[in-house]
Amino acid sequence: MDFFTLLSVEEAQARLLAAVRRRMPAERVATAAATGRVTAVPVLAAEDLPPFDRSSVDGYAVRSADTFGASEALPSYLTVTAEIAMGAAPTVPLNPGEAQKIATGGALPEGADAVIMVEHTEQSAPDEIAALRPVSPGENVMHRGEDCRAGEELLPAGRLLRAQEVALLSHAGILEVDVVRRPRVAIISTGDELVPADQVPAPGQIRESNGQALQALVRRDGGEPTFLGLARDDETQILALLQQGMAYDVILISGGSSVGTRDLTSELIGRLGSPGVLVHGVKLKPGKPTILAVADGVPVIGLPGHPVSAQVSYNLFVTPLLRQMQGLSPEPEFRPTVRARLTKNVASATGRTDVVRVRLFRRDGELWAEPVHGKSGLITTLVKADGLVVIPSAREGLLAGDTVEVEVLE
């Protein structure tokens, strides 16, 4: 197989994801700390939710039959026999012709099958109300088990836990939940010109930034990053860090964008284990020199050294990989996107996927996308951009005034 033939983005993604069989094991964490985690197994309800019939409005618990035919012209008069305290079980049963005052969330007394809103009543006497309209059985009532029955599935396996899922688990009394362990990602930066961010660069040197950016992106995607350090463009140093990375679930190595060094990086990755390098170069701008490999079950991704290229390649290949390893679909069902009109022409080569950075703004009530031009080594182009426009490989660019879909940057 010729690994040095450039593949399309879609072919490269498919080849990588098909080769990675590793899935993260389960671990138990406190529900209060589970936001952003993924359920490892289905979560079942231990009890009915809600555990009792409760009111969904402020009003009066009634027997619905006592209100049939009620109107403002001919109200139904009901004797108020009790007020139900919040957080307490009702102690007085409801008899025909009676009502009990109840607040939102209060438990319905025995005999009640509906709640009439306070706005639909009038105080006709100190212990009497006039119902000004009828209510049907079950109206304004949340029935026991209406949310979920005991033993039913609250959440499926593979559900990303947001604030609302955490609230549901807490409501159900589930204080711990089995989630997928975060993928542990080793990050390596290479380059003779790089120095740590806390150092003053000498002439010809620059501060390293990819390691910091990749750590932030890995955390965003549910992973646990570890920066193993900087390596010069030296076989011994790079190989030592790669071998150290084999103790992790994924290895990301950035840098080595020159032809000779890129070939060295690919050759060293190939030494780590089989099947080795799967993809060496992608029909992508920016991000052409991306390397995708698997070594004895550990995915190894070689990202370009230029910051823009590295982040574009990361989003296209590492994000789907980390999602799949956590039991999620590699591609989310939806992405935060907006539709906008281009301010100027954007050129693209047929057969290559181009990712264009754009700035969004409104003019005359319309949303516009202005391309942010700049070389892939200029980090400020990412900071200035609000979103990305992907030009598919079949297109020969876009024209000013075209309506495009913009993926909003997080």
Side-chain angles (χ1 to χ4, degrees), residues 384-398:
K384 294 175 182 177
D386 300 307
L388 302 174
V389 174
V390 177
I391 306 178
S393 57
R395 293 290 300 269
E396 292 185 358
L398 301 169

Side-chain angles (χ1 to χ4, degrees), residues 48 100 112 125 137 153 208 247 261 266 277 311 385 401:
D48 290 344
Q100 293 185 22
E153 186 177 276
E208 193 280 330
T261 306
S266 176
V277 175
Q311 293 189 39

Side-chain angles (χ1 to χ4, degrees), residues 150-345:
E152 288 184 354
E153 186 177 276
L154 275 179
L155 296 173
R159 171 64 66 89
L160 181 65
L161 297 177
R162 305 164 297 171
Q164 44 269 54
E165 282 83 10
V166 170
L168 175 61
L169 295 174
S170 300
H171 179 56
I174 298 172
L175 303 183
E176 294 184 327
V177 60
D178 291 323
V179 297
V180 175
R181 177 172 64 73
R182 296 185 186 276
R184 297 170 300 188
V185 181
I187 298 171
I188 303 165
S189 290
T190 69
D192 289 335
E193 77 283 10
L194 300 179
V195 297
D198 60 355
Q199 291 187 18
V200 177
Q205 295 180 328
I206 59 171
R207 293 186 181 91
E208 193 280 330
S209 63
N210 277 347
Q212 304 303 314
L214 293 175
Q215 288 179 74
L217 291 170
V218 167
R219 290 190 190 99
R220 180 199 70 184
D221 293 334
E224 186 177 285
T226 298
F227 184 60
L228 297 186
L230 286 170
R232 297 181 63 82
D233 292 328
D234 173 82
E235 177 178 339
T236 302
Q237 288 189 24
I238 295 174
L239 183 59
L241 288 178
L242 284 171
Q243 290 172 334
Q244 185 181 342
M246 288 296 291
Y248 293 78
D249 300 308
V250 180
I251 301 172
L252 305 181
I253 178 168
S254 70
S257 58
S258 66
V259 174
T261 306
R262 184 170 71 248
D263 289 343
L264 171 62
T265 302
S266 176
E267 192 270 328
L268 293 176
I269 289 173
R271 293 190 204 173
L272 296 176
S274 61
V277 175
L278 305 171
V279 176
H280 191 172
V282 184
K283 296 176 183 177
L284 172 66
K285 182 182 179 182
K288 177 181 176 181
T290 299
I291 300 168
L292 308 178
V294 177
D296 293 341
V298 178
V300 185
I301 314 299
L303 298 169
H306 286 158
V308 175
S309 302
Q311 293 189 39
V312 167
S313 293
Y314 176 97
N315 287 326
L316 287 172
F317 301 109
V318 184
T319 295
L321 173 66
L322 293 181
R323 287 180 58 86
Q324 176 175 285
M325 293 176 71
Q326 294 174 84
L328 298 170
S329 168
E331 293 296 327
E333 293 183 7
F334 62 90
R335 296 178 183 273
T337 60
V338 295
R339 294 183 68 78
R341 294 181 64 189
L342 276 178
T343 60
K344 59 183 69 175
N345 296 344

